[in-house]
Amino acid sequence: MRRKSSFHPPPAANMAVDSAMELLFLDTFKHPSAEQSSHIDVVRFPCVVYINEVRVIPPGVRAHSSLPDNRAYGETSPHTFQLDLFFNNVSKPSAPVFDRLGSLEYDENTSIIFRPNSKVNTDGLVLRGWYNCLTLAIYGSVDRVISHDRDSPPPPPPPPPPPQPQPNLKRNTKHADGEKEDQFNGSPPRPQPRGPRTPPGPPPPDDDEDDPMPLPVSGDKEEDTSHREDYFEPISPDRNSVPQEGQYSDEGEVEEEQQEEGDDDEDDVDVEEEEDEDEDDRHTVDSIPEEEEDDEEEEGEEDEEGEGDDGYEQISSDEDGIADLERETFKYPNFDVEYTAEDLASVPPMTYDPYDRELVPLLHFSCPYKTTFEIEISRMKDQGPDKENSGAIEASVKLTELLDLYQEDRGAKWVTALEEIPSLIIKGLSYLHLKNTKQDSLDQLVDWTMQALNLQVALRQPIALNVRQLKAGTKLVCSLAECGAQGVMGLLQAGVIHGLLELLFADHVSSSLKLNAFKALDSVISMTEGMEAFLRGRQNEKSGYQKLLELILLDQTVRVVTAGSAILQKCHFYEILSEIKRLGDHLAEKTSSVPNHGEPDHDTDTGLERTNLEYENEVEASMDMDLLESSNISEGEIEKLINLLEEVFHLMETAPHTMIQPPVKSFPTMARITGPPERDDPYPILFRYLHSHHFLELVTLLLSIPVTSAHPGVLQAIKDVLKFLAQSQKGLLFFMSEYEATNLLIRALCHLYDQDEEESLQSDGVIDDAFALWLQDSTQTLQCITELFSHFQRCTASEETDHSDLLGTLHNLYLITFNPVGRSAVGHVFSLEKNLQSLITLMEYYSKEALGDSKSKKSVAYNYACILILVVVQSSSDVQMLEQHAASLLKLCKADENNAKLQELGKWLEPLKNLRFEINCIPNLIEYVKQNIDNLMTPEGVGLTTALRVLCNVACSPPTVEGQQKDLKWNLAVIQLFSAEGMDTFIRVLQKLNSILTQPWRLHVNMGTTLHRVTTISMARCTLTLLKTMLTELLRGGSFEFKDMRVPSALVTLHMLLCSIPLSGRLDSDEQKIQNDIIDILLTFTQGVNEKLTISEETLANNTWSLMLKEVLSSILKVPEGFFSGLILLSELLPLPLPMQTTQVIEPHDISVALNTRKLWSMHLHVQAKLLQEIVRSFSGTTCQPIQHMLRRICVQLCDLASPTALLIMRTVLDLIVEDLQSTSEDKEKQYTSQTTRLLALLDALASHKACKLAILHLINGTIKGDERYAEIFQDLLALVRSPGDSVIHQQCVEYITSILQSLCDQDIALILPNSSEGSVSELEQLSNSLPNKELMISICDCLLAMLANSESSYNCLLTCVRTMMFLAEHDYGLFHLKRRMAEMKLFEMIQATCCSVSQIEIEDITETIHLSQCIILGNA
């Protein structure tokens, strides 16, 4: 319901207040209710006003002398209550909530006036209190000047029309009114040209009151319109707010609009232009969510009775609002408020555009490549000298005492002091560094270190003490290297590298001591200064790298070699980065000379501006060509750059296993049973190297150069490196620490993404899977997390629960989750390390125990945290996050049983109650899965997804990388899976999932909401991973067989449902991973075959491989909906055609394994010959192009395996042609149908592949019994070419046959080529294996010459015939048959016939004929 006050404010001289104030508002809010409860009302002003005073009018007191009696008296009740006031701070346009104005302890006898501490500049007030009726008067002044000059959110609107001279402000039209209301009240604006869609806004502006409702404007429509010029309307969000005089009607307003249209046309135009510009560049979302107005009147009383606690409704993270908007069923609220252009520009928006948000300097977290010493100094500087640093002071005092105590003594006590110093350096030396600028302490420590590493000094020590001295010296080197560049430079100047290498080359040094020396050397080169010194070396001396290489080539133990190899790997990484930097600088220099084709010269006369799109396109194309030509970047440089980037990715991926120093007590074996993971983290050092080489700036440069940004190989290599960095917390912090370079990098990536979206291109680079947006959302999410942690550090003791900055951060996170890419990014970032603790801390701070039941439920921040944690748990598959925080989350869920979101979260975390994330938990989790299979994909069964994720983490080993030790605990985990009946359970999960997805899939319905899709994909991937782990372990040795065909049957169905018909036209990354997992599981069935299972045909047909293959082949023709999916599966399972495309030389052993695998495939396929023939027969006549393409692809793969399968496939195709051509009776003329055309097209496509061509030549020779019909049908096809015919089908058949003849006569389509790597092959041997025999060649030459002599032949046929004859004229064998058959026809007469047979002489035809003549003449010579 909507009401409007109908009073007209009197002149200021008649007021009972200061002459500088006006009566801005006066009206009564009524909330009839049986019991007293808290209510919220809103007062909105159409322009900015200054509020000086707020009065609550007691009952019976006359409010104003100029009002009629029925409205002149106050009606406030009860007699006393507290009234809280909030205002919209127009100076903070992006603030998500109203600021607190103050509180009035209302007492009708003593306290009715509230005056703010200072003038408040606002355009809206929110009133909150435990009242049933409130009569309110607001005094102040209208901002008539500043509202024109005040800054508005970007982009600024066009200047408004000049104000009228009269004292009362002129109202604008209805158009401006409606647009203003939509922005303020959160109506979803038009979709933006870029960026994620922004949903309706978050929960209410404050922390502990009623559910927010839509904001109807209250007032009466029966008053005279002449009094509508300067009143300000009250707004109440309560559904039961009662109008004072009657129902609102739209009819009177329609007439009023028609009367005002003529006067305000110009204002309408201005507002429309302003709206267009404003909405094109920002997304405005209010902080009060909308509801449909139709439900207000129907559900008002029921809601009041049912909501006794008057709590805010839960924030909904569902995407129903977006779906309604897309279906155009979203009902926009209709308001009746008019605004001027200035008012519209001054609306405080709640915006989130990721393209407008940039990274800022890193907060809370430390820079990932800084040393602990540098971090400690930064912490002390931030705390200030006055803060208590007792630990640092004690460490500094003790360090100073040790340095002063043993100035000359070099005995046992000195060695003991050396062993104590490393633990004191970080805190003690950092404190001394801040307090004392002298470097005496550092210089003395460096001197002690070099003496400790000196073998001559050590030999003077007693036995055992000398070893302690050397080890203490190496540890002291590691500690001083942590002091950053200053410490490393001191060590380098003292010759630490030379000292360590002397220790390594010395005789009779134990391996453990060498490992300590290697660790010290590794710490020195971890700084860029140390690495440069190690690689460069001194004058006329070998570098440290060369000396280390000589050491490794000597007879050393395996532990020493492993430690030295780790240092060499770091050196290689550093050198590769240096080479990339050099190459990047070289490319920048080459492209810097490109002429500037920037903005064209603009004529001073704007009327002469060029607007022709064709001209602009031509200019842009010429600019691209100029850039390509002037860049002078060779393909070799591009390939080198790609190889370097790929090597960087490979080294970073294997760094945890190849670049760390092994523990002293470890041994580098291939496998291990127990033991902690590697202790050292190599990535801070690698990030330091990346930072010193300006890697992110180089990547941005490569994405900005047209030649490299358009190269798919460069884009893919860059994407691999950036995506690897973004997968870890330290990698994201590296992006954040390099925030300026990261902003430019993301801008360049998004430019490529937007460009491809505009051009609707499908590229294979960084932008193919929205990686640019994902990286952007990930960095923005981590920035929000840093803001949350920083807020807790600053405002822990704040009394205000919902701080505006805190809510702004949470709201930004909330908006990111409304995009699927953003949702994935939020889930990923919050699952890293302890990022989720920021939300858990927030919930604990705002929980019932801290604030009480009512306030915790009303807290907006609390509701935000609930939703975000739920989104993270739903979206993330990271189980380590659940392991850390499951107990805290379950405790929060149990503490607030009335919160729907927390109860849903409790369902997701249900399997984790009292769970230890170890191998022993596998039986309990599988039992939980068994009990809840019937609830799969239901709200009650969401815990299944969590259980499967935990099982994957506990039982499945991570992907292995080069250099990684195999942990045998995963073998024990697989045994636990089998003992707990995991195989049967997981098969049932897949079957249940298939049964749920089948019906929507058949109706062409998508996978539902983002949550539904995420759950489906996660459940499928986890189940497939578990099955693959179990089957791989079971069948790997070939000792066991697995004949449960439920697995391939379920996999085939799952592939059909999830991977066969992608909505985008191609599989996204998740769907591609599912398809890869399905293929891998099916291929594990091929591992369980040993020699005993291939002895006889019976054992061959019943082994694991054949049974799987039979299931897949049977499924292809089982149902029509599975045709395409089955063909894709079969094609993915079959080996690729030869030759193998590799970048490296294949070892002989690998070649033998590959050939043996192809033979085994051929053997098992030959057993299923009937099914293969049925598939080819069934699909040979299809007109569906995707199925045609897949059939041809499969036929080529089958023919390429071995000769038996090639003959089987080609015999089937030729049989189909024989049946089609012999279907008509002999006495009737043969009728060629479209089926004949499709069969010949299939044969033509296959004949162009070498294996298929040789099978065709073998069959049409007719030398084997039973193949005579193929020789006859080939002659029939040649006769078809010579026969006259005018039909389109006949001409198509002739064209296909001539193309087949061209492939048969092409000597380059052969399995053996003259330049083959297998050895030298004579030309005659090569021709005999690639061309038809003599009888067939004679027939083919006759057919070709007859085609040339036929004046009715089409141009395409003639051109194909001439090119075929050119192939034959290239060698003596073909030239002999051509000359022999051309004896009866003169060559130039044929040329004349050829040229005259077409209406227009084709230059290409004449050229080909002349080339043929040249070949023949040269052959005669």
Side-chain angles (χ1 to χ4, degrees), residues 833-1041:
E833 294 190 2
K834 296 184 179 181
N835 291 341
L836 192 65
Q837 188 63 43
S838 61
L839 296 178
I840 296 177
T841 303
L842 181 65
M843 292 183 64
E844 291 174 346
Y845 181 71
Y846 291 152
S847 62
K848 290 182 180 181
E849 299 175 1
L851 301 179
D853 189 4
S854 60
K855 285 193 175 182
S856 67
K857 186 173 182 181
K858 321 297 184 192
S859 171
V860 182
Y862 183 80
N863 287 339
Y864 269 130
C866 293
I867 283 189
L868 291 172
I869 289 179
L870 181 59
V871 168
V872 172
V873 173
Q874 291 170 344
S875 305
S876 175
S877 299
D878 193 312
V879 178
Q880 294 181 355
M881 173 263 297
L882 296 178
E883 184 177 1
Q884 293 177 2
H885 304 294
S888 302
L889 293 176
L890 287 170
K891 182 180 178 181
L892 290 171
C893 294
K894 185 177 180 181
D896 192 353
E897 297 179 353
N898 296 324
N899 191 304
K901 293 299 178 185
L902 285 183
Q903 296 312 304
E904 184 180 357
L905 177 64
K907 289 288 184 182
W908 281 84
L909 301 177
E910 189 177 28
L912 307 182
K913 294 179 180 178
N914 303 321
L915 185 74
R916 298 184 64 184
F917 291 75
E918 298 175 352
I919 294 178
N920 296 331
C921 73
I922 291 177
N924 295 334
L925 289 173
I926 292 182
E927 186 63 29
Y928 178 86
V929 174
K930 289 180 183 178
Q931 296 174 359
N932 291 273
I933 284 183
D934 293 336
N935 297 326
L936 189 71
M937 302 303 293
T938 62
E940 292 77 18
V942 292
L944 269 174
T945 306
T946 305
L948 291 173
R949 289 172 177 172
V950 176
L951 280 172
C952 274
N953 180 263
V954 173
C956 302
S957 63
T960 57
V961 296
E962 182 182 346
Q964 181 180 5
Q965 283 183 318
K966 179 183 178 182
D967 198 334
L968 297 181
K969 73 175 183 179
W970 304 115
N971 300 65
L972 179 61
V974 173
I975 295 175
Q976 288 275 19
L977 289 175
F978 276 107
S979 63
E981 299 181 353
M983 179 64 68
D984 180 70
T985 304
F986 302 144
I987 294 174
R988 289 172 55 198
V989 169
L990 285 184
Q991 291 175 337
K992 181 68 174 179
L993 185 62
N994 291 338
S995 64
I996 294 173
L997 298 177
T998 299
Q999 190 62 30
W1001 181 83
R1002 286 174 175 168
L1003 298 175
H1004 304 286
V1005 178
N1006 60 18
M1007 296 178 67
T1009 62
T1010 300
L1011 174 60
H1012 191 273
R1013 185 182 187 279
V1014 167
T1015 305
T1016 303
I1017 295 294
S1018 179
M1019 193 170 297
R1021 287 214 62 202
C1022 292
T1023 309
L1024 291 175
T1025 303
L1026 289 164
L1027 282 175
K1028 182 169 67 173
T1029 301
M1030 297 178 70
L1031 287 174
T1032 301
E1033 190 66 27
L1034 178 66
L1035 301 176
R1036 180 173 50 189
S1039 304
F1040 300 95
E1041 293 187 60

Side-chain angles (χ1 to χ4, degrees), residues 567 1011 1114 1130:
I567 293 180
L1011 174 60
S1114 302
L1130 181 59

Side-chain angles (χ1 to χ4, degrees), residues 119 181 223 264 318 367 393 531 572 598 1284 1350 1352:
K119 274 190 175 183
E181 284 299 319
E223 294 295 324
D264 296 331
D318 296 332
C367 183
I393 295 174
M531 178 63 79
H572 296 162
N1350 188 358
E1352 297 180 358

Side-chain angles (χ1 to χ4, degrees), residues 1138-1273:
L1138 295 174
M1140 295 181 181
Q1141 304 296 330
T1142 60
T1143 58
Q1144 299 177 352
V1145 179
I1146 307 176
E1147 298 294 333
H1149 173 72
D1150 297 333
I1151 294 177
S1152 62
V1153 170
L1155 294 177
N1156 187 51
T1157 302
R1158 300 173 75 86
K1159 292 177 182 178
L1160 287 173
W1161 266 104
S1162 179
M1163 291 170 57
H1164 290 89
L1165 286 167
H1166 200 70
V1167 177
Q1168 312 295 338
K1170 292 183 179 179
L1171 282 174
L1172 289 175
Q1173 288 177 326
E1174 187 179 357
I1175 289 172
V1176 175
R1177 285 179 171 273
S1178 300
F1179 295 125
S1180 60
T1182 180
T1183 57
C1184 178
Q1185 290 187 355
I1187 293 182
Q1188 283 181 356
H1189 172 73
M1190 291 307 304
L1191 177 64
R1192 295 172 183 177
R1193 177 178 173 179
I1194 289 172
C1195 288
V1196 171
Q1197 289 178 278
L1198 291 172
C1199 292
D1200 195 75
L1201 283 177
S1203 57
T1205 50
L1207 291 174
L1208 174 67
I1209 297 301
M1210 298 318 303
R1211 186 176 280 114
T1212 304
V1213 175
L1214 291 175
D1215 283 340
L1216 289 169
I1217 298 176
V1218 170
E1219 294 170 4
D1220 184 77
L1221 294 181
Q1222 295 180 353
S1223 59
T1224 56
S1225 58
E1226 296 180 358
D1227 56 342
K1228 295 183 180 180
E1229 184 179 356
K1230 292 183 178 180
Q1231 299 293 329
Y1232 304 107
T1233 62
S1234 57
Q1235 174 68 7
T1236 310
T1237 306
R1238 288 191 288 270
L1239 291 175
L1240 291 175
L1242 176 61
L1243 184 63
D1244 177 34
L1246 298 180
S1248 61
H1249 295 273
K1250 45 197 175 184
C1252 304
K1253 170 190 170 179
L1254 296 183
I1256 294 173
L1257 290 176
H1258 177 78
L1259 293 173
I1260 63 177
N1261 284 336
T1263 56
I1264 300 178
K1265 185 179 179 180
D1267 293 346
E1268 296 85 358
R1269 63 183 185 278
Y1270 303 131
E1272 296 174 0
I1273 200 63

Side-chain angles (χ1 to χ4, degrees), residues 393-678:
I393 295 174
E394 293 176 1
S396 63
V397 170
K398 188 171 184 181
L399 179 63
T400 306
E401 290 178 354
L402 290 175
L403 293 176
D404 294 338
L405 190 60
Y406 303 104
Q407 292 283 351
E408 302 296 336
D409 183 13
R410 295 295 180 265
K413 294 183 178 180
W414 176 69
V415 175
T416 304
L418 288 176
E419 294 172 339
E420 295 178 3
I421 285 176
S423 60
L424 306 174
I425 285 182
I426 300 299
K427 288 185 176 294
L429 198 59
S430 60
Y431 185 81
L432 293 176
H433 178 79
L434 290 178
K435 294 296 183 180
N436 184 13
T437 58
K438 296 182 179 180
Q439 300 297 323
D440 297 341
S441 299
L442 182 60
D443 295 339
Q444 188 174 352
L445 286 172
V446 171
D447 182 61
W448 281 21
T449 302
M450 298 309 300
Q451 294 184 36
L453 292 176
N454 194 322
L455 276 174
Q456 302 302 323
V457 176
L459 290 175
R460 292 196 290 266
Q461 301 286 1
I463 296 176
L465 188 63
N466 50 12
V467 177
R468 286 177 53 194
Q469 173 192 318
L470 293 173
K471 289 186 177 181
T474 58
K475 293 179 180 179
L476 195 53
V477 172
C478 298
S479 299
L480 289 177
E482 280 292 315
C483 296
Q486 195 173 9
V488 171
M489 288 303 297
L491 290 172
L492 292 175
Q493 292 173 2
V496 67
I497 294 179
H498 180 72
L500 290 172
L501 289 175
E502 279 189 352
L503 184 61
L504 289 170
F505 276 96
D507 297 331
H508 312 297
V509 176
S510 64
S511 296
S512 60
L513 185 55
K514 286 186 178 181
L515 292 180
N516 280 279
F518 272 123
K519 194 165 186 179
L521 183 60
D522 180 79
S523 62
V524 171
I525 67 170
S526 296
M527 301 300 296
T528 55
E529 295 83 1
M531 178 63 79
E532 288 288 344
F534 184 73
L535 294 175
R536 186 174 58 251
R538 298 180 181 178
Q539 294 180 353
N540 301 325
E541 288 187 8
K542 293 181 179 180
S543 66
Y545 179 89
Q546 293 172 322
K547 294 180 180 179
L548 179 59
L549 197 58
E550 292 176 357
L551 176 68
I552 293 177
L553 293 177
L554 298 176
D555 188 14
Q556 301 290 342
T557 62
V558 64
R559 293 198 297 169
V560 173
V561 172
T562 303
S565 300
I567 293 180
L568 293 181
Q569 288 279 32
K570 283 187 179 179
C571 296
H572 296 162
F573 184 81
Y574 189 89
E575 289 182 327
I576 289 173
L577 290 179
S578 302
E579 184 63 20
I580 292 177
K581 187 175 186 304
R582 186 197 65 77
L583 192 57
D585 295 340
H586 179 61
L587 296 178
E589 291 176 1
K590 284 190 173 183
T591 55
S592 62
S593 60
V594 176
N596 185 11
H597 295 278
E599 298 181 358
D601 295 336
H602 293 283
D603 200 316
T604 54
D605 186 1
T606 57
L608 298 179
E609 291 182 356
R610 297 175 181 262
T611 57
N612 191 325
L613 289 178
E614 295 181 0
Y615 171 80
E616 293 178 357
N617 293 335
E618 291 176 2
V619 171
E620 184 177 355
S622 64
M623 289 170 55
D624 292 341
M625 292 302 297
D626 290 341
L627 287 172
L628 290 172
E629 293 175 359
S630 61
S631 62
N632 297 322
I633 300 175
S634 65
E635 186 65 25
E637 291 175 326
I638 298 295
E639 290 299 326
K640 182 179 181 180
L641 178 63
I642 294 173
N643 293 334
L644 291 173
L645 289 171
E646 290 176 349
E647 187 65 19
V648 166
F649 169 68
H650 173 72
L651 290 175
M652 293 188 69
E653 189 179 33
T654 59
H657 312 289
T658 60
M659 290 191 189
I660 61 169
Q661 292 299 309
V664 177
K665 296 182 180 180
S666 68
F667 195 80
T669 57
M670 295 297 295
R672 66 181 183 185
I673 300 177
T674 58
E678 288 75 12

